[in-house]
Amino acid sequence: MKLKKMAAAICLSMLTLSSVVQAERPANFQDNYQLKEMVVLSRHNIRSPLSGNGSALGNLTPHAWFKWTSGPSELSLRGGQLETMMGQYFRQRLVKDGLMTENYLPKDGEMRFYANSMQRTIATAQYFSSGMLPVANVKIEHKFAPSKMDPVFNPQLTFVSDAFRSQAMKEISAMGGAKGLQGINDKLSSQYRTLEKTLDLKDSPMAKKNGFTKFRNDDLQIMLEVNKEPAMKGSLKLANSASDAFILQYYEEADTTKAGFGHKLSQKEWEQVASVKDVYGDVLFTAPSVAVNVAHPLLQEMNKELAQPGRKFTFLCGHDSNIASVLAALDVEEYSLPNSIEKKTPIGSKLVIEKFAGKDGKEYAAMSLVYQNTKQLRDRTELTLDTPPEVFPLQLKGLKANGDGLYLLKDVQQRFQQAIAAYDKLPQDKAVQKAA
């Protein structure tokens, strides 16, 4: 038993070390490259679940969920604290990299903070800006009064034809292998059993009323309708609701046993619980045709920011579906994030694109995901250059980085342009026109 524990500890330390090594840059990096601009696409930080105790979520368990510090779907107090810490880290990083000075007051047009018009995204941007630019009194740009989805951040399908729907369904079904949609659920069998145990689903109001005691593997339905988000029916949708709430409860509740409704879950089991949400997001938003469709306005916005004269920093605040679909549309290599129970787009995570001027006269770019690891989220760990968040480099399929891990900027911009142009190549039926 002692040997098993020792082996597990060694594996964990190696995992932690590997993420640090991946993020490391050569000691002479700043001698050869000058940071000129940073574009950040952020997921909002910790919120309360999208629905309350009296909803379907409340009927999945006999237990009461955590007493949230905010209304349904809104940023929690912890979320605000964590996002301020992340903003403070970015301040230190950008000062070190020479993009700004301490207590910087941006000139008009140098920096932009633009959020989806939901309370949790506006608040996240406000807290981040307070940490990064504490004396600048940053005004967050948003198009509507809260809470209404902005079309730029709304992951909706703006074009649907029968031919598109057929192609998208083939791509989604392929995620399940030979069994198609059922195969997606089959792969989640162990995750479903862990969720059922942790919820005490067999004793839930839903079990008593409807006899629902197990998540099924044969009831997944996908709906792809124009001007709506991709949607689903079935066990995976219900399981995702529970997964999402458990993830948030785990971050908020100091006692991990209480977070698991009295069950002492291992790290692997928490990762199983969280992986249900990752699969849900992949199914709805990362099939190539779907990603190109739903991410189209955001890809255009990001591409515009990368070419904006005089711009130093852009902060766009949206949702996990935004990051997932943008990365899929850009054809980023498959990845699994270390030191996080969420392996794809953790709460508060940021897609960071850095633009550099090289000493050789060329322009370069790097892409990474920056996120607070699970321990940092739970412990509200101070973020500094010495104790940074996780920085995970992303790789673009078909592009080769140089020895310092950078791509030519023109190649990255071309990848954006290809992803944007792919929207006009989505399969059409006769006499069907795409939205302008």
Side-chain angles (χ1 to χ4, degrees):
M1 184 61 73
K2 285 184 179 179
L3 285 174
K4 286 183 179 179
K5 287 183 178 179
M6 186 180 296
I10 291 171
C11 287
L12 182 60
S13 65
M14 288 176 69
L15 185 64
T16 304
L17 178 62
S18 69
S19 69
V20 173
V21 170
Q22 283 176 316
E24 242 176 41
R25 283 175 173 159
N28 65 342
F29 186 85
Q30 281 188 275
D31 295 334
N32 296 319
Y33 306 98
Q34 177 63 48
L35 181 64
K36 290 296 184 183
E37 183 185 359
M38 183 180 283
V39 175
V40 176
L41 173 59
S42 177
R43 182 187 176 191
H44 58 79
N45 216 296
I46 294 176
R47 54 160 169 77
S48 61
L50 300 177
S51 53
N53 277 323
S55 64
L57 175 63
N59 288 321
L60 282 172
T61 179
H63 306 287
W65 292 97
F66 182 80
K67 189 175 180 181
W68 309 100
T69 60
S70 58
S73 84
E74 295 187 347
L75 198 73
S76 74
L77 292 178
R78 180 185 292 262
Q81 293 169 334
L82 290 167
E83 197 61 30
T84 303
M85 291 175 181
M86 187 65 94
Q88 290 168 335
Y89 164 74
F90 269 78
R91 182 178 80 230
Q92 294 174 59
R93 179 170 163 179
L94 295 179
V95 169
K96 177 179 177 287
D97 290 345
L99 193 66
M100 69 180 206
T101 56
E102 193 69 49
N103 294 320
Y104 192 64
L105 295 173
K107 297 185 182 74
D108 188 42
E110 279 189 332
M111 297 191 176
R112 184 188 186 201
F113 291 80
Y114 172 32
N116 188 24
S117 299
M118 304 297 285
Q119 189 272 355
R120 60 188 178 276
T121 47
I122 297 169
T124 294
Q126 195 71 70
Y127 278 109
F128 181 93
S129 69
S130 296
M132 180 179 151
L133 299 167
V135 298
N137 194 26
V138 172
K139 182 173 176 58
I140 306 303
E141 177 187 342
H142 57 94
K143 292 181 179 174
F144 309 110
S147 284
K148 180 180 178 180
M149 291 293 284
D150 180 333
V152 170
F153 295 97
N154 192 351
Q156 63 184 343
L157 297 162
T158 54
F159 164 76
V160 174
S161 65
D162 288 340
F164 165 80
R165 191 180 282 112
S166 175
Q167 178 171 306
M169 286 306 303
K170 285 179 184 176
E171 294 167 354
I172 294 170
S173 295
M175 297 179 188
K179 289 187 176 180
L181 294 185
Q182 181 171 330
I184 294 171
N185 270 329
D186 284 346
K187 290 179 181 180
L188 288 170
S189 178
S190 62
Q191 289 94 322
Y192 282 168
R193 304 297 84 82
T194 300
L195 258 183
E196 290 158 6
K197 175 189 77 172
T198 311
L199 286 164
D200 288 313
L201 182 61
K202 67 183 186 304
D203 301 319
S204 69
M206 191 172 287
K208 292 174 180 176
K209 184 177 181 181
N210 303 320
F212 187 84
T213 60
K214 291 186 72 174
F215 295 111
R216 293 169 51 183
N217 68 347
D218 61 351
D219 62 352
L220 178 59
Q221 298 177 53
I222 304 295
M223 286 81 73
L224 304 173
E225 302 297 334
V226 70
N227 295 326
K228 294 182 179 179
E229 290 188 29
M232 70 168 64
K233 291 180 180 178
S235 289
L236 180 52
K237 181 179 180 180
L238 269 177
N240 171 71
S241 177
S243 171
D244 176 63
F246 269 128
I247 292 167
L248 298 166
Q249 183 162 275
Y250 182 59
Y251 294 151
E252 293 272 15
E253 174 56 65
D255 185 334
T256 57
T257 302
K258 283 180 69 176
F261 288 150
H263 298 278
K264 293 183 178 180
L265 301 188
S266 66
Q267 183 68 17
K268 181 182 177 182
E269 287 175 316
W270 278 114
E271 289 178 1
Q272 285 184 319
V273 167
S275 71
V276 173
K277 186 174 183 297
D278 286 341
V279 172
Y280 173 88
D282 282 348
V283 169
L284 288 184
F285 300 108
T286 68
S289 298
V290 174
V292 162
N293 196 328
V294 301
H296 186 64
L298 192 49
L299 288 166
Q300 291 177 309
E301 197 74 26
M302 294 177 73
N303 189 50
K304 182 181 73 176
E305 289 299 315
L306 280 169
Q308 189 71 18
R311 186 82 83 218
K312 285 187 172 185
F313 184 86
T314 300
F315 187 86
L316 305 171
C317 192
H319 308 271
D320 50 357
S321 55
N322 295 138
I323 296 177
S325 58
V326 163
L327 292 181
L330 292 175
D331 210 11
V332 167
E333 293 278 7
E334 185 64 28
Y335 66 91
S336 178
L337 297 175
N339 306 320
S340 174
I341 61 170
E342 298 179 86
K343 300 298 183 182
K344 296 292 186 179
T345 54
I347 202 80
S349 58
K350 286 145 181 61
L351 167 58
V352 176
I353 304 176
E354 298 167 279
K355 189 163 80 174
F356 296 96
K359 195 176 180 181
D360 59 3
K362 298 177 182 177
E363 288 186 301
Y364 294 90
M367 292 179 60
S368 61
L369 278 172
V370 178
Y371 60 99
Q372 285 148 301
N373 63 43
T374 300
K375 190 174 189 313
Q376 289 171 333
L377 290 168
R378 283 181 47 80
D379 295 348
R380 283 178 276 204
T381 307
E382 180 184 5
L383 302 179
T384 68
L385 296 176
D386 294 324
T387 56
E390 303 286 333
V391 180
F392 188 88
L394 296 170
Q395 298 177 338
L396 291 162
K397 292 178 184 176
L399 292 186
K400 186 173 181 179
N402 69 9
D404 295 317
L406 305 182
Y407 296 108
L408 287 172
L409 175 64
K410 65 179 183 180
D411 290 342
V412 173
Q413 289 177 314
Q414 184 180 38
R415 179 61 61 89
F416 267 91
Q417 289 153 13
Q418 288 169 344
I420 292 166
Y423 177 83
D424 290 321
K425 297 175 184 175
L426 291 173
Q428 299 188 54
D429 299 330
K430 288 181 180 178
V432 173
Q433 299 295 321
K434 290 187 175 67

